[in-house]
Amino acid sequence: MIDKNFKKKSILIGLIIFLISLFLFLDLIIFTKIFWIKIVKIINLFLFIVLVFVLIINTIKKGNEKKEKEKLVKKLEKLNLELKKADENKTEFVSIASHQLRTPLTAIKGYLSMIIDGTYGFVPEKIKEKLGNVFESNERLVRLVNELLSVSRIETGKIELVLEKQDIEKTINQVISELNISAKNKKLKINFIKPKNKTTKILIDIEKIRQVLINIIDNAIKYTNSGKITIYLEEKDKEVLIKVSDTGEGMEKEEIKKIFNSFSRGGAGERFSGEGSGLGLYIARKFIKMHKGKIYAKSEGRGKGSCFYINLPINN
Amino acid sequence: MKKKIILIVEDEKILSEMYRDKFERSGFSVYSAFDVKEALKLVTKIKPSLILLDILLPRENGIVFLRKAKLNSKISSIPIIAFSNFDDHQTRKEAYSLGAKDYLIKTDYTPKEIVDKINILLD
């Protein structure tokens, strides 16, 4: 469309220039008799031709530049489409791969749990302990797959909240009992300090908040070699506040700034453990943000423990 | 006392056998189907107390089963637990809207925890 208009305009301008030149030439040949006026008109005609020539060159140049730009835009659009497709393929791959990974993980988890709980007969304590470790490793794999799926959904905006009024105290208790085995394995105690009166039920996506709590408390266990982990719950100024404090490795200020980014494990993570994916806190921040809440961390420095804070609004 | 019947609709043989094992040891009578067609045929014959339904099945998926079950008065009163490793918000929503009592992600539960869920539902 633009090209057609451009062509029409060029033809029209060309025709006008040709007519002017013809008129000037005829005027010079037929009507101009006085010699010095003839000279002036020849100079004028010459200047006019030079000007037209420069204009034509410029127009051709601009036309070429425009064509080049259009080519480049088309190339970029094509590349953009290819990138989008590659991104979609990646997301689909992560989704399918995660689903495929989950099937054998379910079988491992299921059979291990049945062996440990004595479904197939008595298991000596020593073997049970080792199997418990295998079970725990499998659980970490399950969590890693869940994290990969969550990140892939967050990045494609395919994640939604399923909100229901929930008892956060009950959820924290469930998470504690789930993680108690790994805490006991490291001889760590988990304390839960809660208000005397029941906290108000809050509108949350229970699965996502559960995932956040598991991540924070599991991290506390992972990075604490002695001492305890204390979870505080309180209700204040239309907010439910959760604090997870540990006596573990702690963090430097620079590390705190980075830990909520994807694939970050902080200094302690890099030195002491190869288990974390570095995605957990990134997901946690995204999930808490989706709930219009806040999540942040504090630490007095290396070796002085860490504190993670989660504020969730009570939106009744 | 007559044993309660559970129908497992699961195409992964290893998982189907694992759940059958646990459920039988927990006092249930268990039947297995590997696809929707087989499950629909079996369900009217055995009249189970509960159906444990996988979502990603060959040919027709679990959502198709739920849709057909909802329209069939002989099946619609049977509680169904959807359980899958396919964790998709839309599918989950659809399963609930078609009457599923729960939507469980298999990797998140041990067979014992599923038995606990079943007992709560049947009580």
Side-chain angles (χ1 to χ4, degrees), chain B residues 36-37 40 60 62-73 75-76 98:
Chain B
V36 170
K37 206 175 159 189
L40 284 168
E60 291 174 304
I63 296 295
V64 175
F65 181 89
L66 282 167
R67 224 173 268 146
K68 288 182 179 171
K70 204 182 175 186
L71 297 173
N72 188 330
S73 59
I75 315 173
S76 59
L98 289 168

Side-chain angles (χ1 to χ4, degrees), chain A residues 102 106 109 119-120 153, chain B residues 21-22 25 56 85 87 107:
Chain A
R102 274 173 163 176
T106 309
K109 176 175 178 156
T119 303
Y120 299 111
R153 282 186 189 143
Chain B
D21 199 1
K22 187 67 191 177
R25 286 169 192 269
L56 291 187
N85 275 328
D87 186 9
T107 38

